[in-house]
Amino acid sequence: MNFEGFEFDQNTRATLNALDSRGRMPHAIIIESQDGEAAQKLAALLSMYAVCGSEGSRPCGVCPNCVKAKNRAHPDINYPKVKNKSQTYDVDSMREIIEDAYIKPNDAAAKVYVFEKADSRFTAITQNTFLKLFEEPPENVCFILICENAQRLLVTIRSRCTVFRLGGEISLDESAVQAAEKIAEGITAAREYELMLAFRALGDKDLYEQIFIALKQIFRDSLAILSGAEPLGNAQLAGKLAARFTKMKLINMIELCDSSALQIKQNVNINLLTTRLCGEFRRISWQR
């Protein structure tokens, strides 16, 4: 990927290059940052990449599409505005965007929608209105949600997005990743004992949060496979889960990770929590 004119941290550049090597960007992206200017720059780069007309390294920065995108003047890049006093996106606006998303682009091969302050402007109702479009997006349409706190967005939305955390990217400890993979393997194991054993890693107060982050990424990779996209991490493990579980079950598992991480922060008894987690994951696994 061409970063000329843009400065990003090493983790962000590596993730962007990895996505670029696959030949396409995800259809839904969350940019989470306390630095609004940095988030805007990343949204600009991604928008330019999506509409760039160059056959070489993208975004080229000099083609008509890139120049228009840089100046926020491209007809295929939409920055939706709020239309009410509460400064939130209303349902009617969402429906207009949904209809517009299925209309072919004007100048470029793709269309981009950039939602600024998404964590404060999206209500639960408007997110649910938008969910179907996120699940089955039109070809060559990209949605970029800029926010300060992605946790304010519904998990059903977050689970369908690739998340960039600028200025706060967590470099996961290898032992946390390994622990998360053991838990994921334990979920599909025939014996509950294997899952219980894997959950013992949550007793490490320095690692539990990273373990849940890594575990959620495995579930998101499985969702990506079910949606026809490429996983970012352990493809073999994600594929195994994707073959076993439906999208809804994987989303329920992500929600369970979020609620459990919060309980540990509240000093819940770890033995009671792991017992409950085993039961909940097994319940989700076998429910119809």
Side-chain angles (χ1 to χ4, degrees):
M1 180 175 285
N2 180 17
F3 296 104
E4 186 176 353
F6 295 91
E7 293 185 6
F8 299 110
D9 62 83
Q10 188 174 1
N11 285 337
T12 300
R13 291 169 70 99
T15 302
L16 287 167
N17 280 327
L19 293 172
D20 177 49
S21 68
R22 298 187 177 102
R24 62 171 182 167
M25 280 289 155
H27 76 277
I29 295 169
I30 291 175
I31 302 174
E32 181 183 58
S33 178
Q34 297 295 317
D35 186 342
E37 185 177 351
Q40 292 284 353
K41 287 181 179 179
L42 179 53
L45 175 70
L46 293 170
S47 298
M48 289 169 63
Y49 181 95
V51 300
C52 179
S54 172
E55 295 183 359
S57 181
R58 297 165 57 196
C60 68
V62 295
C63 73
N65 283 332
C66 281
V67 173
K68 291 177 184 177
K70 192 183 301 183
N71 295 323
R72 285 202 177 196
H74 200 290
D76 297 318
I77 301 176
N78 190 336
Y79 292 82
K81 303 298 182 183
V82 294
K83 299 178 180 179
N84 54 36
K85 293 182 179 179
S86 64
Q87 293 297 297
T88 58
Y89 296 118
D90 56 54
V91 173
D92 289 339
S93 296
M94 288 299 101
R95 288 173 178 160
E96 289 176 7
I97 292 170
I98 292 170
E99 291 179 4
D100 184 71
Y102 287 94
I103 299 174
K104 290 184 178 181
N106 293 288
D107 295 352
K111 298 181 77 170
V112 183
Y113 296 86
V114 182
F115 295 92
E116 301 169 299
K117 299 181 180 179
D119 49 345
S120 62
R121 292 180 174 178
F122 271 120
T123 66
I125 294 175
T126 54
Q127 288 179 72
N128 283 320
T129 302
F130 215 43
L131 185 57
K132 184 66 175 178
L133 187 63
F134 266 48
E135 290 178 333
E136 300 175 6
E139 188 176 1
N140 295 329
V141 173
C142 178
F143 304 99
I144 300 175
L145 282 63
I146 299 175
C147 63
E148 291 186 355
N149 185 356
Q151 296 297 317
R152 295 173 186 163
L153 299 171
L154 296 179
V155 68
T156 46
I157 294 291
R158 299 199 311 269
S159 64
R160 289 162 172 80
C161 297
T162 295
V163 181
F164 289 90
R165 292 183 177 87
L166 301 182
E169 191 71 31
I170 298 175
S171 180
L172 296 178
D173 190 290
E174 183 60 30
S175 59
V177 175
Q178 292 175 357
E181 290 179 346
K182 286 183 179 179
I183 292 172
E185 291 281 4
I187 293 171
T188 63
R191 297 190 306 161
E192 186 174 339
Y193 173 75
E194 294 181 37
L195 180 57
M196 180 70 77
L197 194 62
F199 271 129
R200 290 177 62 181
L202 294 176
D204 188 335
K205 290 297 182 72
D206 294 325
L207 282 182
Y208 78 85
E209 188 170 7
Q210 293 191 44
I211 292 172
F212 278 124
I213 291 173
L215 186 57
K216 288 192 292 183
Q217 185 57 60
I218 294 171
F219 295 147
R220 289 193 179 104
D221 278 345
S222 300
L223 281 167
I225 291 174
L226 289 174
S227 300
E230 293 290 331
L232 298 177
N234 188 327
Q236 183 176 0
L237 179 55
K240 183 178 180 179
L241 295 177
R244 175 76 179 270
F245 302 122
T246 64
K247 288 182 180 180
M248 185 51 64
K249 287 184 178 182
L250 290 167
I251 290 171
N252 287 340
M253 289 180 184
I254 292 173
E255 291 178 331
L256 183 56
C257 288
D258 283 335
S259 62
S260 299
L262 181 60
Q263 285 183 297
I264 293 180
K265 286 184 179 180
Q266 296 171 341
N267 295 317
V268 69
N269 183 289
I270 194 66
N271 291 325
L272 292 176
L273 177 63
T274 53
T275 300
R276 186 184 75 83
L277 278 172
C278 281
E280 285 298 298
F281 272 112
R282 302 294 277 193
R283 180 187 63 78
I284 294 171
S285 299
W286 295 108
Q287 71 184 3
R288 293 185 178 181

